[in-house]
Amino acid sequence: MLTVTQLNALSVQDLLKLNKQVVAIVKEKQRMENRVASVSLMSGDQVTYMSGKMGRRVTAKVLEVKRTKVVVEVGNGGRYLVPASMLTKVE
């Protein structure tokens, strides 16, 4: 792992290259987390997730499972596309 001193010694071009590599790694890890999470869900499952807009935990029903995202329906009939890794299955 690089220390702050080592990072400060890098040129702007080197920092930009490093940033691109880090972003690519993070995106790949998120994509894999979403795929793994979506495999465990099926249409009709009850799930919960933390809503960014409402700032509270929401319970929803799975309508459709896509590759990395899931279409859910909340109690008021609204449908939302949520990343699978944000969902927790209610047993």
Side-chain angles (χ1 to χ4, degrees), residues 10-77:
L10 294 175
S11 70
V12 172
Q13 291 297 338
D14 289 338
L15 288 171
L16 289 171
K17 286 180 188 176
L18 180 61
N19 182 54
K20 284 183 182 180
Q21 291 172 340
V22 169
V23 167
I25 291 169
V26 168
K27 284 184 177 182
E28 179 63 21
K29 286 185 180 245
Q30 288 175 330
R31 189 180 66 77
M32 290 306 295
E33 285 176 0
N34 283 329
R35 280 238 171 122
V36 168
S38 68
V39 168
S40 66
L41 297 172
M42 294 175 52
S43 183
D45 286 345
Q46 290 288 346
V47 294
T48 62
Y49 65 97
M50 186 59 84
S51 170
K53 290 183 179 180
M54 294 182 270
R56 62 179 172 87
R57 187 150 294 281
V58 176
T59 301
K61 178 181 173 183
V62 173
L63 296 179
E64 180 182 357
V65 179
K66 298 185 181 222
R67 196 169 13 128
T68 59
K69 298 198 178 189
V70 179
V71 179
V72 298
E73 182 177 48
V74 294
N76 64 5

